[in-house]
Amino acid sequence: MWNWRWFGNSAKSPDKTAHKKGEDTHHQVTDDQPHNPYSEVRFLSGHTGTVHQIARIDKHRFVSASDDSLAIVWDSETGCRLFTLAGHRGRVMCVLPLQPCSQESCLLMTASEDGTIRLWDLNADERFEEGLCQSVVTGHGGPVKCLAQLSQDMICSGGSDICLWNRSGRQLSRCDRSRLEENSDVHSLLKLDSRHFGVVAASDYKSLAVYDINKKPMMETDRYELQFVRYLYNSHKENICCLTSISINFFASGSYDGVILLWSTNTLSAIKIFHCLNPSPVVCGPSTMIRHILVIGERYLFAAVGNGFKVYDVIAYEDSHGHPKPLASNTNAHLQPITSMEFLEDRAMLATASEDNTIRLWGNPNKLKRESDISSQVPENHSSQGKASVEDFLGIELNPQRGRRRGTPPLPMVPSLLGELLLHSDSVKVVKDLGEHGLVTCGGDMSVIIWKDGERENEQRDIQIRAYLKGELP
């Protein structure tokens, strides 16, 4: 079941007197919303537990995962429920749409705390949902908490142990972690393939773990061996809570003390450190941890730290001591910790979701684009488009080469609060961009909500009405 609702000005825009530059104060909002495009919503019902993950499958579909042991596939435009993926006997911890996804083959993996992975064929006849499950994969000794696609035909899963699978669900290798010094499950996996093929794994531990994948030719088929290599010591001082790929050459890890390390995939050494909190915290916890790292254009790093966020250029912009300097900073963007972020490149906006039940929109009000401007944009390559969007978000011109920025605008910038989305009644877990179909969020209130651009929706309705009056629609 779903419905849509026009809520006019209930999504609020910023009070221009809320803060001055440099002040560490909470942002306030007023009742008008001139810069907030999301004025229509669709409520998607179907889950009966906390919805903690959303993943886009393609331009037209996305999937949500919940503590109710279900994953549900939705239509991005209409909000209609397409499939209910039932069968797990515990929370669905992770979902992974396998690439490539086409009309011939579109597979989805779901991982659960019941220790199993299920492989679903989303191109099966939608009238027979029980036929969607192609295989039930067993082999883990405990909950499966993360999935990563390493190649078109190889997937890695992590939890109390780490396993390799092929695209059809056959186990290729398993690495028992019971003898390792870390005593916690793997929560993040990242592919390594610059110098050697393998994965880097993060758990509630201070050091990342590196695993090699070795190929051993056999008579009839190839055999793979997943083998622990070493820990990356002398890096983080507190436990690692997130792991993100930046490019083929770099990746980043964030920890509970508000520190982000930039790593080289070639040398597996930390080459830069970002202290997101200054001074460093004495006591670490939810208000100091790096919850989410978002990367734009393989260069710009958005970090959710405690109740706020910071933006860095991983290549340039250092202070007089050679330490990375943030391009933008807002230490009190929300009343409670930020859980998820999404950068809307076509709008040059940052959407942040929080435990305070809200989603907030940030940017430069002088650089915003209307729906008509977005629709007429000529596609660029991802890197240059990301740079242009970040420049619009910050309101400054960045030097495309290594080195200092052009001009001397003061850094860090303080992005403006452009709007607030208020319909969740519990912590918002994820915010995802659906492109022309809007934003989708989920949370502890068991709800999934699509936030629609009111201008675009009105235009679409006008087109349909004109077509109906001309007799072009039944």
Side-chain angles (χ1 to χ4, degrees), residues 188-190 200 202 240 242-247 250-254 261-263 290-295 301-302:
S188 302
L189 290 166
L190 204 62
V200 58
I240 298 168
C242 62
L243 185 63
T244 305
S245 174
I246 295 178
S247 67
F250 305 106
F251 64 94
S253 57
L261 293 182
L262 178 67
W263 300 84
I290 304 292
R291 289 283 188 100
H292 190 195
I293 299 175
L294 186 66
V295 178
L301 187 152
F302 290 67

Side-chain angles (χ1 to χ4, degrees), residues 10-56:
S10 65
K12 305 172 184 178
S13 66
D15 179 356
K16 296 181 181 179
T17 64
H19 67 91
K20 297 180 181 179
K21 180 175 171 48
E23 289 186 353
D24 190 20
T25 181
H26 291 294
H27 294 255
Q28 303 294 324
V29 289
T30 57
D31 288 335
D32 59 326
Q33 54 147 10
H35 303 302
N36 183 358
Y38 302 109
S39 56
E40 294 191 28
V41 295
R42 296 187 178 178
F43 296 88
L44 314 186
S45 59
H47 286 294
T48 58
T50 296
V51 187
H52 53 78
Q53 190 172 21
I54 286 175
R56 289 189 68 177

Side-chain angles (χ1 to χ4, degrees), residues 139-211:
H140 275 280
V144 187
K145 296 188 174 180
C146 54
L147 296 167
Q149 186 169 5
L150 307 183
S151 66
Q152 183 170 332
D153 195 47
M154 184 179 292
I155 296 90
C156 188
S157 57
S160 59
D161 44 19
I162 297 180
C163 296
L164 285 181
W165 315 89
N166 67 8
R167 195 178 179 92
S168 62
R170 181 174 66 87
Q171 188 178 90
L172 304 176
S173 182
R174 175 177 177 269
C175 182
D176 184 4
R177 300 173 58 253
S178 61
R179 296 185 179 182
L180 300 183
E181 60 186 64
E182 52 184 313
N183 189 26
S184 59
D185 291 347
V186 171
H187 59 66
S188 302
L189 290 166
L190 204 62
K191 173 185 175 182
L192 291 175
D193 61 0
S194 57
R195 190 179 68 174
H196 50 78
F197 187 45
V199 294
V200 58
S203 63
D204 290 330
Y205 189 60
K206 298 178 183 179
S207 300
L208 296 170
V210 179
Y211 299 80

Side-chain angles (χ1 to χ4, degrees), residues 6 37 39-40 370-372 452-460:
W6 173 267
S39 56
E40 294 191 28
R370 297 175 60 85
E371 174 64 29
S372 56
K452 293 286 190 176
D453 184 307
E455 181 181 334
R456 180 184 182 278
E457 294 302 298
N458 279 332
E459 291 177 355
Q460 294 298 313

Side-chain angles (χ1 to χ4, degrees), residues 163-376:
C163 296
L164 285 181
W165 315 89
N166 67 8
R167 195 178 179 92
S168 62
R170 181 174 66 87
Q171 188 178 90
L172 304 176
S173 182
R174 175 177 177 269
C175 182
D176 184 4
R177 300 173 58 253
S178 61
R179 296 185 179 182
L180 300 183
E181 60 186 64
E182 52 184 313
N183 189 26
S184 59
D185 291 347
V186 171
H187 59 66
S188 302
L189 290 166
L190 204 62
K191 173 185 175 182
L192 291 175
D193 61 0
S194 57
R195 190 179 68 174
H196 50 78
F197 187 45
V199 294
V200 58
S203 63
D204 290 330
Y205 189 60
K206 298 178 183 179
S207 300
L208 296 170
V210 179
Y211 299 80
D212 272 350
I213 299 174
N214 300 310
K215 185 176 180 180
K216 297 184 176 181
M218 304 292 287
M219 291 294 293
E220 299 179 355
T221 183
D222 291 329
R223 179 176 179 269
Y224 294 88
E225 182 180 24
L226 181 65
Q227 186 175 20
F228 171 77
V229 178
R230 64 187 176 99
Y231 286 110
L232 303 181
Y233 289 114
N234 302 320
S235 52
H236 287 284
K237 296 181 180 180
E238 297 293 336
N239 290 347
I240 298 168
C241 42
C242 62
L243 185 63
T244 305
S245 174
I246 295 178
S247 67
I248 192 173
N249 296 314
F250 305 106
F251 64 94
S253 57
S255 56
Y256 275 84
D257 56 359
V259 170
I260 296 175
L261 293 182
L262 178 67
W263 300 84
S264 166
T265 57
N266 291 304
T267 62
L268 295 179
S269 59
I271 58 176
K272 191 173 289 189
I273 182 169
F274 301 84
H275 292 279
C276 297
L277 297 175
N278 189 18
S280 299
V282 177
V283 179
C284 300
S287 63
T288 64
M289 68 185 292
I290 304 292
R291 289 283 188 100
H292 190 195
I293 299 175
L294 186 66
V295 178
I296 303 300
E298 298 186 346
R299 175 170 179 172
Y300 302 104
L301 187 152
F302 290 67
V305 52
N307 297 4
F309 63 85
K310 294 200 174 185
V311 183
Y312 293 93
D313 183 340
V314 300
I315 297 177
Y317 308 115
E318 297 176 344
D319 61 21
S320 58
H321 301 288
H323 300 145
K325 185 174 184 178
L327 299 175
S329 176
N330 189 332
T331 57
N332 279 304
H334 284 268
L335 299 178
Q336 294 185 38
I338 293 176
T339 54
S340 176
M341 299 184 298
E342 186 79 315
F343 188 67
L344 315 177
E345 291 190 27
D346 54 358
R347 298 187 184 277
M349 276 187 185
L350 176 69
T352 56
S354 169
E355 291 182 355
D356 64 11
N357 309 352
T358 69
I359 304 97
R360 288 186 166 185
L361 305 173
W362 307 89
N364 185 334
N366 300 319
K367 294 288 187 176
L368 297 180
K369 301 171 184 176
R370 297 175 60 85
E371 174 64 29
S372 56
D373 299 328
I374 296 171
S375 302
S376 61

Side-chain angles (χ1 to χ4, degrees), residues 353-407:
S354 169
E355 291 182 355
D356 64 11
N357 309 352
T358 69
I359 304 97
R360 288 186 166 185
L361 305 173
W362 307 89
N364 185 334
N366 300 319
K367 294 288 187 176
L368 297 180
K369 301 171 184 176
R370 297 175 60 85
E371 174 64 29
S372 56
D373 299 328
I374 296 171
S375 302
S376 61
Q377 284 181 336
V378 178
E380 306 176 65
N381 70 71
H382 181 73
S383 179
S384 61
Q385 182 179 1
K387 174 182 175 294
S389 296
V390 172
E391 285 186 338
D392 287 341
F393 172 75
L394 298 172
I396 61 176
E397 185 180 8
L398 301 171
N399 190 339
Q401 307 299 325
R402 299 179 68 95
R404 303 285 179 178
R405 57 187 167 83
R406 299 192 190 105

